[in-house]
């Protein structure tokens, strides 16, 4: 991903710190220091262990008085602790932290940017370290080369680092004093290689992987292994530490570290002779990433990608971090942090001389993780709704209102992330039941909608939006949305498509429609589209500017010079287009944002004018200006596709992200069916094709298991809870768009399998991994929203939707208990759980449903079904009973009416009266929209019976 203006500090890296409680509470007079910041890396999004504050409070009463005092010193919120190791370059030591206090509530790019007030207090009080130094050997094996032994191209690097505060000198008590009473550097370590080690010859197995990211390391001199039994057994048999490196194909800093370190022979020699090195794609194995990212965040106060962790042979974490500079790095600010080769030497010496202490520390960490996670997850709520009331929406709104940027839109400080789940919440506030508006306030609901609309407008016009092609970049480095990191991710496109459809349904404005169409076209006909069904994962930020270039540049595919505008467009069109897209002779990227001169004279396109303003300035008709801009876009796109080198495409199909895309494209197809039927059909056909592809290739009908990824052929990794949850969501939306019962049948089967594999029968909620997973040290739950909705947030809404559509009240109960599993956290910070808030509305006020039974060939029915879909009515479940298929004995409709007896009754009434039947339910009450109410039958005047305005009025009246 794109570098930021400075190395990411604690606040910029802010995430939800993991819940970790250490058993190592020995001790001695403590000296506390704020945790040092991590190196520049890819920004994080919230990660969490789902352990309730209530359980922590219970534990507090059981702990010793010294621990209580420590908790009070560390944070006013609920702190958690861990032991671990950290390298101190200043003291030439590996420091054992006993303990680290980490706030369970939001601490420190993501949360600080979204919630700076909370993050500010937590980042300055919640993360402290009681340090005990373990001096380490100053040399290691004789064949290790110096850090200056090679000169390799370093590629793109971050901007100059800001200095960080130096921690106080560590105390020399407890474990450190026992290992080294004089606190002096130990004698050089003997070579680590034993006779058996010399016989171990590793080969690079990265080429065996399906992941484009992992396979991209196949030519490294590092002997990369895959995360499998073979590699883990090697580590155990030869008693080597595991070096685990996690990243993803579009990760900018992953590429930088590969060039600097993993292509370096000296680094490779140390890794191959002393470690078992394993490369993992975080998109393929998010479970592994989640566990060890939690550890790194806990022991360093920050995190990101590449994620690099050293493990014992039994997978327990010892030491970790993100990007570390390689030998001869050109990365500005690299001197302020230890180099990777330096760290390797220290760890080799530590493992050689103090292996038992390292293992002891790792055991402490994992024991504490497991103990506290297990204890917290056994908490059950005793209240019916546990305080989960509508006023939580008002609290969440107030928080976003305080963070809103009235100048540029968005929330918090730079870098800015779109966070679609939060935008959807704000857009929909005023469209929930009247009770919500009464509690939150009409003015507040309107303000929430305007904040979201303004943000979406700024994003659509900003550099984060590909103004020439399609789609959105991952995030903006600047507050004005104009300097993006250029990577494009499938999950962003899928969610933003749905949000822009929301905005269009609320306003009818062309800008939101055009942007939604742009995203949908990107998914269905551009780089992410896979022939035969499915959507690829991402496009990289880095690329070659033109064929034959030796080095990649960030954003090279997307930026333009004024000279290129003149050459491609000619006068006067170039002048008009340049003024429209803010193209300047010497570029529009601030030099302070461009440490390596990648953007000299380059322009990131953003809309800064309107056709009307240009018409006035250039004294030409507005219609002519519009045509000039349209022509300019086509010429620039043709030039870009012909002359530029496309960024790397990660062409694996991830089930969960494809589920999101299916749902959004289905929504777009339904919403646009009346006004843009050709586009609507294309989007819906694509969603159907992808659902069919996933079922045919990644789903086992006999076992009900889905696979996580497809690339060339199905992967070997079974799906995780997010794969089930997001795919179920997509199928529910696809049913709403097609009224084909087969999608509900599959959704029901998947939901049953998700419950069987992932549901916690003791403490409720869904784990991210199944109980059968054997290669993990922890089993976690996901409750917080990040770049994607949380697993449990999506699952709660799926359960409510299927409960309504299939008349399964037990799943409504499960939705409630799923949310209750996070009730303490939700009550404290509802703005972190926005995907759960609509479910809370549903549970408190009841679902909205509309049942229509009739003849689909009737043009009035067809037209009015489109009207039902054309307005934004959150969580309105529409069920259409196709009487032609019912009378024809369609098995799908037979199955559906057996599940939902209301539909059987509706079909029976149509048979008796010969007229269409419509019933709406809201607020726990139902009303039949009858001939007597409308004054006419459907056949005579469908608008009177099924006009959306009438149905909305009925719904509002019932609420």
């Amino acid at each position: 991903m794109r570098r930021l203006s400075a190395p990411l500090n604690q606040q910029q890296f802010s995430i939800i710190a993991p819940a970790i409680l250490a058993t190592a509470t020995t001790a001695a007079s403590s000296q506390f220091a704020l945790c040092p910041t991590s190196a520049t890396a890819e920004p994080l999004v919230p990660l969490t262990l789902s352990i309730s504050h209530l359980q922590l409070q219970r534990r507090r009463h059981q702990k010793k008085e010294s621990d209580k005092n420590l908790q009070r010193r560390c944070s006013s919120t609920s702190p958690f602790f861990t032991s671990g190791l950290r390298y101190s370059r200043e003291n030439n030591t590996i420091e054992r932290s006993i303990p680290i206090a980490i706030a369970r509530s939001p601490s420190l790019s993501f949360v600080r940017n979204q919630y700076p007030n909370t993050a500010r207090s937590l980042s300055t009080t919640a993360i402290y370290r009681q340090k005990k130094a373990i001096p380490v050997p100053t040399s290691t094996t004789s064949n290790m080369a110096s850090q200056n032994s090679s000169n390799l191209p370093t590629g793109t690097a971050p901007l100059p680092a800001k200095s960080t505060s130096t921690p106080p000198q560590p105390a020399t008590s407890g474990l450190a004093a026992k290992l080294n009473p004089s606190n002096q550097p130990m004698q050089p370590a003997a070579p680590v290689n034993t006779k058996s080690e010399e016989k171990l010859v590793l080969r690079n197995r990265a080429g065996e992987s399906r992941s484009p990211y992992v396979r991209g390391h196949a030519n490294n001199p590092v002997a990369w292994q895959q995360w499998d039994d073979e590699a883990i057994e090697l580590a155990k048999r030869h008693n080597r530490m595991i070096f685990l490196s996690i990243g993803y194909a579009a990760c900018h800093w992953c590429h930088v570290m590969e060039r600097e370190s993993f292509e370096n022979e000296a680094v490779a020699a140390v890794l191959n002779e002393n470690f078992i090195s394993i490369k993992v794609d975080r998109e393929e194995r998010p479970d592994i990433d989640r566990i060890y990212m939690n550890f790194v965040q806990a022991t360093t106060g920050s995190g990101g990608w590449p994620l690099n962790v050293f493990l014992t042979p039994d997978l327990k974490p010892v030491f970790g971090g993100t990007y570390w500079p390689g030998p001869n790095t050109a990365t500005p600010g690299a001197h302020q942090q230890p180099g990777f080769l330096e760290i390797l030497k220290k760890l080799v010496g530590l493992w050689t001389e103090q292996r038992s202490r390292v293992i002891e520390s790792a055991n402490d960490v994992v024991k504490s993780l497991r103990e506290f996670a297990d204890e917290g997850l056994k908490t059950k709520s005793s209240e019916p709704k546990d305080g989960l009331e509508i006023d939580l929406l008002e609290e969440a709104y107030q928080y976003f209102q305080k963070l809103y940027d009235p100048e540029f839109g968005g929330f918090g400080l730079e870098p800015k992330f779109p966070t679609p789940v939060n935008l959807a919440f704000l857009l929909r506030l005023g469209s929930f039941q009247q009770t919500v508006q009464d509690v939150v306030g009409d003015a507040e609901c309107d303000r929430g909608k305007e904040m979201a609309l303004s943000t979406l407008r700024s994003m659509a016009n900003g550099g984060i939006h590909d103004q020439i092609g399609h789609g959105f970049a991952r995030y903006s480095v600047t507050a004005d949305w104009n300097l993006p990191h250029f990577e494009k991710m499938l999950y962003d496109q899928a969610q933003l498509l749905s949000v822009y459809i929301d905005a269009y349904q609320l306003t009818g404005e062309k800008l939101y429609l055009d942007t939604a169409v742009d995203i949908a076209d990107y998914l269905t006909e551009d780089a992410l589209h896979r022939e035969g069904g499915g959507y690829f994962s991402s496009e990289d930020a880095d690329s070659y500017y033109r064929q034959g270039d030796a080095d990649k540049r960030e954003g090279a595919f997307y930026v333009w010079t004024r000279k290129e505008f003149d050459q491609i467009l000619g006068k006067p069109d170039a002048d008009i287009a340049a003024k429209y897209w803010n193209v300047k002779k010497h570029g529009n990227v601030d030099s302070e944002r461009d440490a390596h001169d990648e953007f000299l004279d380059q322009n990131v396109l953003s809309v800064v004018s309107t056709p009307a303003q240009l018409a006035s300035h250039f004294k030409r008709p507005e219609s002519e200006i519009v045509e000039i801009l349209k022509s300019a876009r086509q010429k620039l796109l043709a030039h870009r596709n012909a002359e530029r080198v496309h960024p790397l495409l990660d062409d694996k199909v991830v089930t969960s992200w494809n589920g999101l895309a299916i749902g959004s494209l289905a929504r777009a197809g339904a919403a646009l069916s009346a006004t843009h039927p050709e586009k609507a059909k294309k989007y819906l056909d694509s969603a159907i094709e992808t659902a069919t592809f996933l079922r045919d290739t990644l789903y086992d009908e006999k076992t009900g298991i889905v696979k996580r990824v497809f690339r060339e052929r199905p992967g070997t990794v079974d799906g995780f809870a997010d794969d089930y949850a997001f795919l179920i969501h997509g199928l529910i939306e696809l049913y709403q768009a097609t009224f084909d019962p087969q999608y509900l049948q599959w959704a029901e089967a998947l939901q049953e399998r998700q419950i069987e594999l992932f549901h916690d029968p003791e403490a409720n909620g869904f784990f991210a991994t199944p109980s059968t997973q054997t290669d993990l040290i922890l089993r976690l739950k996901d409750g917080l929203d990040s770049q994607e909705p949380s697993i449990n947030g999506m699952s709660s809404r799926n359960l409510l939707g299927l409960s309504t559509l299939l008349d399964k009240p037990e799943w409504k109960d499960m939705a409630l208990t799923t949310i209750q599993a996070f009730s303490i956290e939700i009550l404290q910070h509802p703005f972190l759980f926005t995907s759960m808030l609509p479910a809370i509305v549903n549970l408190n006020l009841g679902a909205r449903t509309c049942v229509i039974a009739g003849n689909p060939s009737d043009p009035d029915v067809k037209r009015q079904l489109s009207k039902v879909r054309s307005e934004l009515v959150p969580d309105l479940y529409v069920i259409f009973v196709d009487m032609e298929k019912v009378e024809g004995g369609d098995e799908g409709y037979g199955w559906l009416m057996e599940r939902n007896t209301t539909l059987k009754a509706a079909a029976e009434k149509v048979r008796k009266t010969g007229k269409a039947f419509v019933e709406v339910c809201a607020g726990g009450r139902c009303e039949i929209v009858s001939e007597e109410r409308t004054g006419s039958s459907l056949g005579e005047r469908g608008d009177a019976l099924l006009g959306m305005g009438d149905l909305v009025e009925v719904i509002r009246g019932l609420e």
Side-chain angles (χ1 to χ4, degrees):
M1 297 175 81
R2 181 179 175 78
R3 64 183 181 281
L4 306 182
S5 58
L8 296 179
N9 56 30
Q10 283 177 350
Q11 290 183 329
Q12 287 174 317
F13 259 123
S14 49
I15 64 170
I16 304 306
I20 305 174
L21 179 65
T23 56
T25 54
T26 60
S29 57
S30 40
Q31 181 177 8
F32 292 93
L34 190 66
C35 289
T37 62
S38 174
T40 304
E42 303 307 293
L44 271 175
V45 291
L47 301 170
T48 183
L49 290 175
S50 304
I51 303 174
S52 73
H53 289 266
L54 186 62
Q55 188 66 23
L56 175 64
Q57 291 164 5
R58 183 184 303 122
R59 177 111 183 191
R60 279 177 170 172
H61 295 296
Q62 301 170 354
K63 291 179 65 63
K64 296 179 180 179
E65 188 63 29
S66 60
D67 291 332
K68 294 181 182 179
N69 294 336
L70 179 59
Q71 290 172 356
R72 286 192 287 269
R73 290 182 64 181
C74 289
S75 175
S76 59
T77 60
S78 303
F80 294 75
F81 305 89
T82 185
S83 61
L85 301 177
R86 181 182 70 88
Y87 172 65
S88 169
R89 188 172 187 176
E90 296 82 0
N91 305 312
N92 192 37
T93 60
I94 295 287
E95 295 169 354
R96 185 182 184 192
S97 308
I98 313 176
I100 296 170
I102 300 284
R104 172 64 180 85
S105 53
S107 59
L108 315 170
S109 98
F110 181 85
V111 172
R112 185 257 187 173
N113 298 327
Q114 304 302 319
Y115 324 111
N117 294 334
T118 298
R120 187 176 301 115
S121 63
L122 290 168
S123 65
T124 56
T125 64
I127 300 186
Y128 289 85
R129 186 183 307 278
Q130 181 182 2
K131 301 189 299 181
K132 298 195 174 186
I134 307 174
V136 299
T138 56
S139 65
T140 177
T141 55
S142 58
N143 59 358
M144 290 184 181
S146 70
Q147 291 198 57
N148 298 321
S149 60
S150 63
N151 290 287
L152 295 175
T154 57
T156 309
L159 293 176
K162 295 180 180 178
S163 62
T164 58
S165 58
T166 302
Q169 295 296 313
T172 56
S173 58
L175 176 62
K178 293 177 183 178
L179 292 176
N180 188 14
S182 62
N183 199 30
Q184 297 297 318
M186 290 185 173
Q187 294 300 314
V192 70
N193 290 8
T194 64
K195 190 171 183 179
S196 64
E197 285 290 301
E198 293 172 356
K199 296 179 181 178
L200 177 60
V201 178
L202 297 169
R203 63 183 179 86
N204 189 322
R205 297 175 54 212
E208 300 173 11
S209 173
R210 303 280 178 80
S211 162
Y213 169 68
V214 176
R215 290 172 76 163
H217 294 74
N219 295 322
N220 293 169
V222 177
W224 291 113
Q225 307 299 299
Q226 298 196 68
W227 183 277
D228 57 15
D229 292 341
E230 179 181 340
I232 296 170
E233 179 58 30
L234 273 176
K236 292 178 179 179
R237 187 186 318 137
H238 295 275
N239 204 13
R240 289 191 180 191
M241 292 181 70
I242 292 171
F243 170 61
L244 174 64
S245 183
I246 304 175
Y248 56 102
C251 167
H252 171 72
W253 286 106
C254 300
H255 301 324
V256 172
M257 190 163 181
E258 180 189 9
R259 289 192 293 268
E260 292 183 356
S261 294
F262 303 147
E263 294 177 358
N264 183 280
E265 295 290 347
V267 170
V270 178
L271 286 171
N272 295 342
E273 292 168 16
N274 300 283
F275 300 89
I276 300 299
S277 301
I278 299 178
K279 177 61 70 172
V280 168
D281 184 340
R282 68 174 294 263
E283 297 169 357
E284 192 172 45
R285 291 300 304 267
D287 54 332
I288 300 171
D289 178 73
R290 184 181 289 109
I291 290 172
Y292 296 111
M293 183 62 76
N294 273 324
F295 166 76
V296 168
Q297 167 64 14
T299 54
T300 69
S302 58
W305 296 276
L307 174 64
N308 298 299
V309 188
F310 295 89
L311 314 176
T312 63
D314 55 356
L315 308 181
K316 296 173 182 176
V318 173
F319 175 75
T322 56
Y323 161 81
W324 290 307
N328 288 335
T329 178
T331 300
H335 63 282
Q336 297 182 6
Q337 57 183 300
F340 184 49
L341 192 55
E342 187 178 5
I343 288 171
L344 289 177
K345 291 179 179 181
K346 301 301 180 185
L347 282 165
V348 168
L350 189 67
W351 186 247
T352 303
E353 296 292 328
Q354 305 176 58
R355 184 173 304 176
S356 62
R357 294 303 191 186
V358 172
I359 293 173
E360 178 187 356
S361 177
N363 288 337
D364 284 345
V365 171
V366 175
K367 179 182 177 182
S368 302
L369 279 165
R370 287 174 176 164
E371 176 185 303
F372 201 75
D374 288 345
E375 182 178 355
L377 292 173
K378 292 177 182 176
T379 302
K380 281 193 175 183
S381 171
S382 59
E383 297 297 326
K385 286 193 176 63
D386 207 32
L388 300 173
E389 305 293 344
I390 300 301
D391 57 1
L392 289 171
L393 279 72
E394 194 270 338
E395 292 180 33
Y397 160 79
Q398 290 295 342
Y399 203 90
F400 290 121
Q401 191 274 330
K402 292 176 183 177
L403 299 183
Y404 178 65
D405 180 350
E407 183 177 4
F408 299 117
F411 304 88
L413 307 175
E414 60 184 47
K416 282 184 176 175
F417 292 80
T419 57
V421 66
N422 294 338
L423 294 173
F425 164 72
L426 292 169
L427 277 176
R428 295 176 170 219
L429 258 183
S431 300
F432 285 117
Q433 288 90 324
Q434 184 60 46
T435 301
V436 175
Q437 298 175 56
D438 293 340
V439 172
V440 177
D442 291 337
E444 287 76 8
C445 289
D446 289 341
R447 176 62 175 162
K449 179 179 73 174
E450 289 306 315
M451 289 191 297
L453 291 173
S454 175
T455 300
L456 292 171
R457 189 180 303 113
S458 295
M459 288 170 51
N461 289 328
I464 192 174
H465 185 200
D466 185 352
Q467 300 293 333
I468 299 302
H470 301 297
F472 280 82
R474 180 69 192 92
Y475 67 89
S476 174
V477 176
T478 55
D480 60 5
W481 303 101
N482 284 338
L483 181 58
H485 162 58
F486 294 89
E487 148 193 342
K488 294 178 180 177
M489 305 299 297
L490 172 60
Y491 56 75
D492 284 322
Q493 317 308 320
Q495 293 177 91
L496 286 172
L497 170 57
S498 183
V499 174
Y500 275 100
I501 288 293
D502 283 357
Y504 172 63
Q505 289 181 319
L506 278 174
T507 66
E509 291 185 22
K510 185 175 184 296
L511 172 67
Y512 303 120
L513 171 62
D514 290 347
T515 308
V517 167
D518 170 84
I519 300 171
D521 285 345
Y522 181 47
L523 294 175
T524 56
E525 59 187 41
D526 209 327
L528 297 188
H529 176 249
R530 179 187 177 278
E531 290 295 330
Y535 310 104
F536 297 134
S537 295
S538 66
E539 285 192 277
D540 204 347
D542 300 357
S543 61
Y544 299 106
Y545 181 65
R546 57 175 60 88
Q547 297 287 349
D549 282 358
D551 297 315
K552 291 183 178 181
R553 289 163 35 191
E554 190 175 4
F557 189 69
Y558 302 100
V559 295
W560 302 86
T561 64
R562 177 57 202 260
K563 183 178 180 180
E564 286 176 316
F565 261 50
D566 292 339
Q567 292 173 341
I568 297 168
L569 304 179
K571 299 284 188 175
D573 291 7
D575 295 333
I576 296 172
K579 191 169 184 63
Y580 181 70
W581 280 307
N582 193 34
V583 175
K584 300 176 181 179
K585 181 178 180 180
H586 296 296
N588 62 13
V589 178
D590 191 328
S591 60
E592 293 184 0
R593 306 277 185 181
D594 187 23
H596 298 309
D597 298 331
E598 289 183 299
F599 297 109
L600 282 176
D601 297 333
Q602 299 287 343
N603 294 271
V604 180
L605 304 192
S606 60
V607 177
V608 295
S609 188
T610 66
Q613 292 169 334
L614 294 174
S616 175
H617 180 82
F618 289 99
K619 311 300 183 187
R620 303 179 75 159
E622 184 176 346
S623 59
E624 186 176 326
I625 295 294
V626 170
E627 289 303 313
I628 289 172
L629 294 174
K630 181 179 178 180
S631 174
R633 183 178 286 106
Q634 293 171 346
K635 291 177 180 178
L636 292 170
L637 180 60
H639 175 87
R640 190 172 83 175
N641 290 335
E643 301 297 328
R644 307 265 177 96
V645 181
H646 279 264
L648 175 70
L649 176 68
D650 186 337
D651 60 349
K652 67 176 180 291
V653 176
V654 178
T655 299
S656 62
W657 298 352
N658 274 253
L660 292 174
I662 289 170
S664 293
L665 286 167
R667 276 205 66 215
L672 302 180
S673 59
T675 56
H676 300 77
E678 292 184 3
K679 288 283 189 183
K681 184 178 185 305
K682 180 177 74 171
Y683 304 152
L684 191 53
D685 287 348
S686 181
I688 292 171
E689 182 182 48
T690 294
T692 302
F693 165 76
L694 294 180
R695 186 161 194 168
D696 290 345
T697 60
L698 293 179
Y699 178 65
D700 188 324
E701 297 280 356
K702 294 181 179 180
T703 64
I705 298 292
V706 298
K707 292 296 184 182
R708 171 70 178 177
V709 298
F710 177 96
R711 187 177 187 270
E712 300 170 350
R713 58 187 182 275
T716 58
V717 178
D718 288 344
F720 302 106
D722 61 325
D723 295 302
Y724 288 83
F726 294 176
L727 181 53
I728 293 167
H729 159 77
L731 294 173
I732 293 173
E733 292 290 354
L734 194 53
Y735 168 75
Q736 296 274 279
T738 63
F739 299 119
D740 188 336
Q742 69 166 308
Y743 300 118
L744 285 184
Q745 285 181 288
W746 190 19
E748 182 188 46
L750 288 170
Q751 187 63 76
E752 289 172 345
R753 201 69 172 104
Q754 183 194 359
I755 293 169
E756 180 181 344
L757 291 171
F758 303 100
H759 187 254
D760 182 351
E762 295 185 9
N764 300 312
F766 291 87
F767 290 104
T769 55
S771 60
T772 55
Q773 199 86 31
T774 60
D775 57 353
L776 302 175
I777 60 172
L778 287 172
R779 197 177 181 208
L780 309 179
K781 289 181 184 176
D782 170 24
L784 292 136
D785 301 316
S786 57
Q787 80 269 21
E788 304 163 25
S790 73
I791 292 169
N792 282 277
M794 185 68 83
S795 296
S796 64
R797 296 179 68 180
N798 290 342
L799 288 165
L800 287 170
L802 291 174
S803 171
T804 300
L805 294 167
L806 302 179
D807 194 19
K808 295 176 76 77
E810 67 274 19
W811 281 2
K812 180 178 180 180
D813 295 339
M814 184 173 287
L816 172 59
T817 58
T818 295
I819 297 174
Q820 284 179 327
F822 302 88
S823 60
I824 303 299
E825 291 95 334
I826 296 173
L827 290 169
Q828 291 183 341
H829 304 290
F831 53 86
L832 292 175
F833 298 85
T834 50
S835 68
M836 292 189 185
L837 296 181
I840 291 174
V841 173
N842 187 313
L843 289 166
N844 278 276
L845 304 179
R848 294 162 156 176
T849 62
C850 176
V851 177
I852 302 173
N855 188 336
S857 62
D858 188 320
D860 286 329
V861 172
K862 294 170 64 176
R863 184 173 66 254
Q864 301 310 327
L865 279 174
S866 295
K867 287 186 177 182
V868 168
R869 299 159 167 165
S870 66
E871 290 191 24
L872 180 61
V873 184
D875 295 329
L876 170 64
Y877 298 101
V878 181
I879 309 175
F880 176 62
V881 180
D882 184 337
M883 291 304 298
E884 287 185 352
K885 291 187 176 181
V886 170
E887 301 299 350
D890 183 90
E891 291 183 2
Y893 274 94
W895 169 86
L896 182 58
M897 288 193 293
E898 285 299 321
R899 289 292 190 280
N900 191 332
T901 56
T902 299
L903 307 183
K904 187 182 294 186
E908 189 60 34
K909 289 183 180 180
V910 174
R911 290 192 186 102
K912 289 181 178 180
T913 64
K915 300 176 182 178
F917 171 84
V918 180
E919 182 181 58
V920 295
C921 298
R925 297 189 296 146
C926 296
E927 182 169 332
I928 296 175
V929 184
S930 63
E931 181 177 345
E932 289 74 19
R933 177 182 176 86
T934 61
S936 63
S937 70
L938 176 63
E940 296 170 353
R941 187 168 174 266
D943 284 349
L945 180 62
L946 288 174
M948 187 59 190
D950 288 342
L951 291 182
V952 171
E953 287 179 10
V954 175
I955 291 173
R956 296 296 187 198
L958 293 174
E959 295 170 350

